[in-house]
């Protein structure tokens, strides 16, 4: 049994004594410098800690404790029984050097300069940073991306980004930790951009509320986030934007959501071209004299698009007040004075105008109610219908329906019916997106005018998009069949991109075995901090030749490359970042933002490779499922052994194929070779994250905490696979002007 302690060496000229690690084992002694110095008065020899009198006591004590733990693990808990002095020193010096390196450089290290053109990008709903990682990996013809700002609402997303991109890679990337639906979000985002031009915006608005795998809720705070994403696009007007989502969005509401998204994208206008459109609509009055009012409303609705948020809200109020004035003039024509003051139908119409004028305030109230509803977990209970009804009543379309019903009940004479219909049509125009307004304008055009309008529409639409593109991650070197929908908006002055070409053919796809085989040295309730050699011949005995044949040398993007390629696992260990980041520091882990501030960093060679602690029954259940090949086939045997489970599904990984879609719960998957769940690092490999990308904070969480916390498994499962993002970014670099 080895004993491990610290001692102070002789003090230097400044009175500081180096702290040394001393190991005694079988009569032999090893001494290693930790790289830290301390005044002897500040060190407590008995408890082996730096006293509170030192400014750096928290950081140094964390470092000493961490280093002692790694030494103890190496000497007293390792599978290997014999070490030479040299092996022990080399292993521990890896940890020490990583610590020294981190403290000998500034956070913003100088990157290797690249010749060529940098383009900028912003990552919204960034999560762990799958899009971010793919974009900074991408290069084409001396073109590459600079990372301006990332955004998400969760602190652990921010922590993971700050550690990766600021501390480790030395970028000056900003992070905005704020809900995109908040009123001052855009102002804060613009402030973080610092006046720089944004070339590309990417992001995947959270999609749980319309995922095929989850419940479909009304008034989930995540359900309408794509419209807020597009508001950012309207303001920043990047050359390209990419919006990623689950495949289920294409079929939600029988395809209506997809069509709505496309209409909203088509409704983003080039504000410089708006006067051309408004003049055209005004010109239609000559041939549609009886529809002056509606055409004026169309002009006002289109003009709202050119205003800032504040001025836009003022313009909306003027719009409703214009319609209200028309109704006020109509009222004495359709009812007497007494009725106009007391009738429920007239009051409904008047008060409906008031509600519409105060739409911004009602929208804010809706956001707050939805946030509180989600916080209180209102769903599948006696409360949910009441909340749904109330929130529905606040919608502008519902208010207009009630106004329409009030007009219907008034039974207005034919003499005034057109005026009533015009008021209702004008209210509906208020709620239309620009794409629908343009379609309505066509109703007032003859054949020649229609041709002219089509030419104007082509000029006025800022972005070109035909249809969303379905991308399977496995087509881009990711060892996972993860289908995602990409909406790629191309600004009208840029080359059109309709799809992302695959980088690998079907027969070239990366297998699960390629991705994970070299990490297969952990057991149940185990954690590894360094790589260990995996001997395929010993592990697989009679099938070793077949398993070795699965390993292929490839380029970064997964394309087979026998001349100077690397295996997927080698790329994962060495990293796929481009040449700018040769000065990157060693990766490290911290448990929280406070720990980062205190310098409580963990510099392991391998991070996030810890298995869950599973009891004997669970292990037996997994053994049976693994042996049978899938959960369904194993049901009878599980029942017979008394090991059946209420769990909906287990996915047994097939080493020769790609994994199913990686989600956020590790227990959903069974390792192909061992009856256990996957580690964070293994799931990250299936997502194509480099091993140097460390997922920070808690490893997992459960219960109601899942609503607010984003632990490591959630960070991984919700991410865009970096190699898919890299393919998207590369295609943009090929086309961007």
């Amino acid at each position: 049994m080895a004993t491990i302690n610290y001692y102070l060496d002789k003090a230097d000229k400044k009175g500081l004594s180096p702290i040394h690690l001393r190991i005694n084992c079988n009569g032999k002694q090893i001494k290693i410098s930790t790289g830290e110095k301390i005044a002897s008065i500040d060190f407590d020899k008995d408890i082996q800690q730096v006293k509170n009198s030192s400014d750096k006591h928290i950081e140094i004590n964390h470092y000493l404790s961490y280093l002692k733990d790694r030494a103890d693990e190496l000497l007293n808990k390792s599978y290997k029984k014999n070490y030479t002095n040299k092996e022990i020193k080399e292993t521990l010096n890896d940890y020490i050097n990583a610590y020294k390196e981190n403290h000998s450089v500034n956070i913003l290290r100088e990157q290797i300069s690249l010749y060529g053109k940098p383009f900028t990008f912003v990552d919204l709903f960034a999560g762990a940073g799958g899009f971010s990682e793919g974009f900074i990996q991408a290069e084409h013809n001396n073109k590459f991306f600079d990372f301006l700002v990332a955004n998400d609402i969760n602190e652990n997303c921010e922590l993971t980004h700050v550690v990766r991109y600021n501390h480790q890679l030395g970028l000056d990337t900003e992070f905005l930790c704020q809900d995109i639906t908040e009123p001052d979000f855009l102002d804060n985002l613009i402030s973080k951009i610092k006046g720089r031009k944004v070339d590309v915006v990417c992001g995947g608005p959270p999609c749980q509320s319309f995922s095929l795998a989850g419940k479909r809720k009304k008034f989930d705070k995540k359900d309408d986030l794509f419209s807020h994403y597009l508001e950012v696009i309207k303001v920043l007007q990047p050359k390209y934007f990419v919006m990623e989502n689950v495949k289920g969005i294409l079929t939600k509401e029988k395809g209506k959501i997809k069509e709505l998204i496309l209409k909203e994208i088509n409704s983003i206008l080039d504000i410089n071209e708006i006067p051309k459109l408004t003049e055209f609509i005004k010109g239609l009055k000559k041939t549609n004299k009886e529809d002056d009012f509606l055409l004026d409303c169309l002009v006002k609705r289109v003009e709202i698009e050119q205003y800032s948020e504040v001025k836009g809200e003022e313009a909306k109020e003027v719009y409703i007040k214009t319609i209200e004035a028309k109704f006020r003039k109509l009222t004495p024509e359709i009812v007497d004075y007494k009725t106009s003051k007391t009738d429920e139908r007239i009051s409904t119409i008047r008060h409906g105008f008031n509600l519409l004028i105060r739409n911004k305030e009602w929208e804010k109230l809706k956001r707050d109610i939805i946030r509180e509803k989600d916080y209180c977990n209102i769903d599948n209970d006696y409360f949910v219908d009441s909340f749904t009804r109330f929130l529905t009543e606040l919608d502008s379309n519902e208010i207009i329906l009630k106004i329409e019903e009030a007009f219907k009940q008034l039974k207005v004479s034919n003499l005034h019916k057109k005026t009533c219909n015009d008021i209702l049509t004008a209210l509906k125009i208020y709620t239309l997106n620009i794409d629908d307004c343009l379609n309505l304008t066509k109703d007032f055009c003859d054949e020649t005018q229609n041709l002219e309008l089509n030419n104007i529409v082509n000029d006025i639409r800022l972005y070109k998009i035909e249809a969303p593109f379905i991308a399977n991650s496995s087509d881009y070197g990711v060892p996972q069949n993860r289908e995602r929908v990409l909406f790629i908006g191309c600004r009208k002055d840029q080359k059109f991109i309709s799809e992302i070409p695959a980088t690998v053919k079907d027969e070239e796809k990366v297998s699960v075995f390629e991705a994970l085989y070299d990490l297969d040295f952990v057991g149940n309730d185990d954690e590894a901090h360094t790589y260990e050699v995996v001997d395929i011949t010993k592990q697989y005995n009679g099938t070793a030749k077949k398993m070795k044949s699965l390993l292929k040398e490839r380029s970064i993007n997964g394309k087979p490359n026998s001349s100077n390629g690397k295996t997927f696992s080698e790329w994962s260990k060495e990293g796929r970042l481009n040449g700018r980041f040769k000065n990157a520091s060693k990766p490290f882990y911290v448990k929280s933002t406070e720990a980062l501030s205190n310098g409580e960093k963990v510099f392991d060679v391998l991070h996030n490779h810890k298995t869950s602690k599973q009891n004997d029954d669970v292990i037996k259940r997994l053994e049976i499922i693994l042996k049978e090949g899938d959960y369904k086939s194993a049901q009878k045997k599980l029942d017979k052994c008394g090991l059946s489970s209420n769990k909906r599904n287990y996915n047994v990984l097939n080493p020769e194929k790609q994994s199913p879609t990686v989600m956020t719960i590790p227990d959903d998957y069974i390792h192909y070779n061992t009856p256990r769940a996957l580690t964070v690092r293994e799931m990250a490999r299936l997502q194509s994250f480099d091993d140097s990308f460390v997922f920070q904070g808690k490893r997992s969480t459960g219960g109601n905490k899942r609503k607010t916390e984003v632990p490591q498994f959630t960070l991984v499962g919700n991410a865009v696979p970096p190699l898919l993002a890299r393919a998207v970014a590369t295609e943009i670099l090929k086309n961007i002007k």
Side-chain angles (χ1 to χ4, degrees):
M1 192 74 173
T3 60
I4 305 160
N5 58 21
Y6 290 102
Y7 72 94
L8 298 186
D9 207 343
K10 293 179 182 179
D12 61 16
K13 292 178 181 178
K14 294 180 180 179
L16 298 177
S17 300
I19 304 174
H20 287 278
L21 177 71
R22 178 167 51 204
I23 299 170
N24 290 298
C25 185
N26 298 328
K28 296 180 180 180
Q29 191 175 87
I30 300 172
K31 297 178 182 179
I32 304 173
S33 172
T34 65
E36 275 294 343
K37 293 181 179 181
I38 198 79
S40 58
I41 196 172
D42 289 330
F43 191 73
D44 189 322
K45 295 178 182 177
D46 294 330
I47 62 172
Q48 297 274 287
Q49 284 192 347
V50 177
K51 297 176 184 177
N52 294 0
S53 51
S54 168
D55 291 340
K56 293 175 64 181
H57 71 280
I58 295 176
E59 180 179 344
I60 296 175
N61 283 334
H62 170 81
Y63 168 55
L64 297 180
S65 175
Y66 152 74
L67 191 57
K68 191 174 181 180
D69 284 347
R70 292 297 177 266
D72 179 59
E73 185 180 79
L74 183 69
L75 295 161
N76 298 323
K77 300 173 185 176
S78 175
Y79 75 101
K80 189 174 177 180
K81 298 301 179 186
N82 297 305
Y83 285 97
T84 64
N85 285 8
K86 184 181 178 184
E87 284 177 322
I88 292 171
K89 283 188 173 184
E90 282 180 352
T91 302
L92 294 178
N93 274 324
D94 280 342
Y95 299 123
I96 293 166
N97 289 334
Y99 177 82
K100 285 179 181 176
E101 181 182 305
N102 188 264
H103 289 73
S104 64
V105 294
N106 296 321
I107 285 181
L108 296 179
R109 284 170 302 286
E110 186 177 347
Q111 296 169 35
I112 304 297
S113 60
L114 290 181
Y115 296 103
K117 173 71 175 172
F119 292 92
T120 59
F121 78 98
V122 167
D123 188 359
L124 303 177
F125 306 101
F131 260 132
S132 309
E133 197 71 6
F135 267 70
I136 65 168
Q137 287 179 15
E139 280 183 89
H140 181 75
N141 285 349
N142 293 323
K143 294 188 285 188
F144 55 95
F145 280 108
D146 276 344
F147 191 4
L148 298 184
V149 184
N151 151 254
D152 209 287
I153 61 171
N154 187 268
E155 288 182 5
N156 201 35
C157 296
E158 179 175 18
L159 178 62
T160 298
H161 264 256
V162 167
V163 170
R164 174 65 168 173
Y165 299 112
N166 298 136
H167 287 259
Q168 189 186 345
L169 300 187
L171 298 174
D172 60 354
T173 304
E174 296 275 0
F175 195 98
L176 175 58
C177 193
Q178 186 180 13
D179 189 331
I180 196 171
T181 66
E182 290 179 11
D184 61 346
F185 175 85
L186 263 169
D187 290 338
N188 292 334
L189 179 64
I190 289 167
S191 174
K192 295 275 187 186
I193 291 169
K194 298 175 183 174
R196 293 169 291 187
K197 186 174 69 173
V198 178
D199 292 309
V200 180
V201 174
C202 57
C207 49
Q208 285 89 333
S209 59
F210 47 80
S211 171
L212 289 174
K215 294 180 182 177
R216 296 172 187 266
K217 305 175 187 177
K218 276 195 172 183
F219 298 110
D220 186 295
K221 69 178 182 178
K222 297 168 182 168
D223 211 9
D224 192 35
L225 292 177
F226 83 87
S227 63
H228 292 279
Y229 176 90
L230 291 183
E231 282 301 314
V232 175
I233 303 302
K234 287 179 185 179
V235 173
L236 299 184
Q237 297 193 352
K239 293 174 179 175
Y240 291 94
F241 69 85
V242 185
M243 190 170 74
E244 176 262 357
N245 243 304
V246 293
K247 193 177 176 183
I249 199 172
L250 299 181
T251 53
K252 182 175 169 62
E253 305 293 338
K254 297 180 179 179
K256 289 179 182 177
I257 297 299
K258 178 197 75 173
E259 293 305 319
L260 177 62
I261 293 173
L262 290 174
K263 281 185 176 183
E264 291 292 343
I265 292 172
N266 283 326
S267 295
I268 302 174
L269 303 184
D270 180 348
I271 59 174
N272 296 319
E273 299 288 340
I274 285 178
K276 190 188 294 184
L277 176 61
T278 54
E279 284 305 308
F280 173 80
I281 296 172
K282 288 175 186 175
L284 294 175
K285 291 183 184 181
K286 295 173 184 176
T287 50
N288 299 271
K289 292 181 180 178
E290 71 285 1
D291 291 313
D292 275 17
F293 175 69
L294 289 181
L295 290 167
D296 282 339
C297 286
L298 278 168
V299 169
K300 286 185 173 68
R301 172 63 190 88
V302 170
E303 286 177 338
I304 289 171
E305 295 299 307
Q306 67 189 336
Y307 300 134
S308 64
E309 186 180 356
V310 174
K311 197 170 178 185
E313 290 301 324
E314 292 172 358
K316 288 177 184 177
E317 185 175 334
V318 169
Y319 184 99
I320 298 298
K321 284 184 175 179
T322 301
I323 305 171
E324 185 184 32
K326 191 170 185 70
F327 175 70
R328 217 168 29 242
K329 189 175 178 182
L330 173 68
T331 305
E333 302 290 330
I334 57 174
V335 294
D336 57 41
Y337 179 77
K338 183 180 177 182
T339 303
S340 73
K341 297 298 180 186
T342 59
D343 189 87
E344 185 182 38
R345 297 163 297 181
I346 298 295
S347 295
T348 296
I349 297 168
R350 281 197 182 120
H351 299 164
F353 289 135
N354 293 338
L355 289 168
L356 292 171
I357 286 169
R358 299 281 293 174
N359 181 63
K360 185 181 180 183
E361 286 71 21
W362 287 115
E363 285 297 319
K364 183 180 182 301
L365 182 60
K366 273 172 67 176
R367 282 198 305 272
D368 291 343
I369 292 171
I370 292 167
R371 191 176 288 115
E372 287 301 316
K373 170 182 166 287
D374 281 10
Y375 184 81
C376 296
N377 207 25
I378 302 298
D379 183 35
N380 192 31
D381 51 37
Y382 291 164
F383 302 107
V384 69
D385 288 343
S386 300
F387 274 93
T388 299
R389 282 195 298 271
F390 177 63
L391 290 165
T392 300
E393 295 297 322
L394 299 180
D395 186 74
S396 295
N397 287 302
E398 289 296 319
I399 293 167
I400 293 169
L401 281 175
K402 283 190 170 55
I403 293 173
E404 188 173 14
E405 182 60 27
F407 270 115
K408 188 177 177 182
Q409 294 301 325
L410 279 170
K411 296 177 181 175
V412 178
S413 68
N414 289 335
L415 182 64
H416 300 292
K417 267 222 169 127
K418 182 172 182 349
T419 305
C420 293
N421 289 336
D422 283 355
I423 288 172
L424 290 170
T425 303
L427 288 173
K428 288 172 185 176
I429 289 170
Y430 172 75
T431 65
L432 294 179
N433 56 42
I434 290 298
D435 200 53
D436 287 332
C437 286
L438 293 171
N439 285 329
L440 181 61
T441 303
K442 290 178 182 178
D443 294 341
F444 299 97
C445 296
D446 58 28
E447 193 173 333
T448 304
Q449 290 166 332
N450 249 320
L451 290 172
E452 187 180 349
L453 178 61
N454 287 336
N455 290 331
I456 293 172
V457 167
N458 287 334
D459 289 339
I460 202 169
R461 282 182 174 151
L462 189 59
Y463 290 96
K464 294 173 284 186
I465 185 168
E466 290 177 356
F469 170 66
I470 299 175
N472 189 332
S473 300
S474 64
D475 291 331
Y476 306 97
V478 181
Q480 177 191 175
N481 280 316
R482 186 187 191 95
E483 286 191 315
R484 284 298 184 265
V485 171
L486 300 176
F487 292 85
I488 305 173
C490 315
R491 206 171 69 190
K492 64 180 187 177
D493 60 333
Q494 299 295 313
K495 287 184 179 179
F496 182 64
I497 298 174
S498 60
E499 63 179 11
I500 308 301
T503 60
V504 295
K505 299 173 184 176
D506 282 349
E507 64 273 16
E508 298 170 341
K509 290 184 177 183
V510 180
S511 68
V512 167
F513 184 76
E514 287 185 82
L516 303 185
Y517 85 95
D518 64 315
L519 296 175
D520 189 13
F521 49 79
V522 286
N524 184 46
D525 190 24
D526 194 8
E527 182 172 12
H529 305 288
T530 58
Y531 297 99
E532 294 177 15
V533 177
V534 173
D535 190 329
I536 296 176
T537 302
K538 284 184 180 179
Q539 273 198 357
Y540 293 92
N541 201 359
T543 60
K545 187 175 181 181
K546 178 185 175 184
M547 302 313 287
K548 286 180 180 178
S549 71
L550 295 173
L551 304 181
K552 297 179 176 67
E553 292 183 335
R554 303 172 178 274
S555 298
I556 289 177
N557 62 11
K559 193 75 178 169
N561 180 352
S562 57
S563 57
N564 59 351
K566 297 182 178 74
T567 64
F568 184 92
S569 60
E570 286 173 340
W571 279 118
S572 299
K573 288 177 183 176
E574 294 180 27
R576 301 173 176 90
L577 294 172
N578 65 40
R580 283 183 292 166
F581 304 104
K582 287 181 180 177
N583 289 338
S585 66
K586 299 286 186 186
F588 63 86
Y589 164 80
V590 289
K591 65 181 179 181
S592 65
T593 302
E594 183 183 7
L596 179 63
S597 299
N598 291 334
E600 299 175 61
K601 303 171 184 176
V602 174
F603 291 95
D604 286 333
V605 177
L606 173 63
H607 292 271
N608 305 126
H609 199 37
K610 180 179 180 178
T611 54
S612 304
K613 184 176 183 179
Q614 296 175 311
N615 63 40
D616 290 343
D617 282 350
V618 172
I619 294 171
K620 287 175 186 174
R621 181 184 302 126
L622 299 185
E623 281 178 338
I624 291 170
I625 298 169
L626 181 58
K627 188 175 181 180
E628 294 296 320
D630 67 78
Y631 191 34
K632 190 175 180 181
S633 302
Q635 291 291 357
K636 285 184 181 179
K637 197 165 185 179
L638 290 173
D639 291 340
K640 187 178 178 181
C641 298
L643 293 170
S644 59
S645 169
N646 292 326
K647 195 166 175 62
R648 182 173 54 86
N649 194 26
Y650 285 98
N651 292 290
V652 180
L653 297 183
N654 185 333
E656 299 178 43
K657 296 183 180 179
Q658 292 71 49
S659 81
T661 300
V662 169
M663 305 295 273
T664 59
I665 302 173
D667 295 346
D668 286 352
Y669 309 92
I670 302 175
H671 192 277
Y672 58 85
N673 191 44
T674 317
R676 63 172 177 82
L678 301 182
T679 66
V680 170
R681 180 51 53 201
E682 286 171 324
M683 289 178 72
R685 282 275 189 97
L686 295 178
Q687 283 277 60
S688 73
F689 279 97
D690 290 347
D691 290 2
S692 63
F693 191 107
V694 181
F695 298 88
Q696 309 295 336
K698 282 185 178 181
R699 180 171 165 271
S700 61
T701 193
N704 281 336
K705 288 184 177 179
R706 283 183 180 159
K707 298 177 78 65
T708 54
E709 295 181 346
V710 182
Q712 294 169 17
F713 278 116
T714 305
L715 284 172
V716 176
N718 285 342
V720 174
L723 282 182
L724 169 59
R726 185 182 186 275
V728 173
T730 302
E731 189 64 17
I732 290 174
L733 288 177
K734 287 177 182 177
N735 290 280
I736 197 167
K737 297 178 185 176

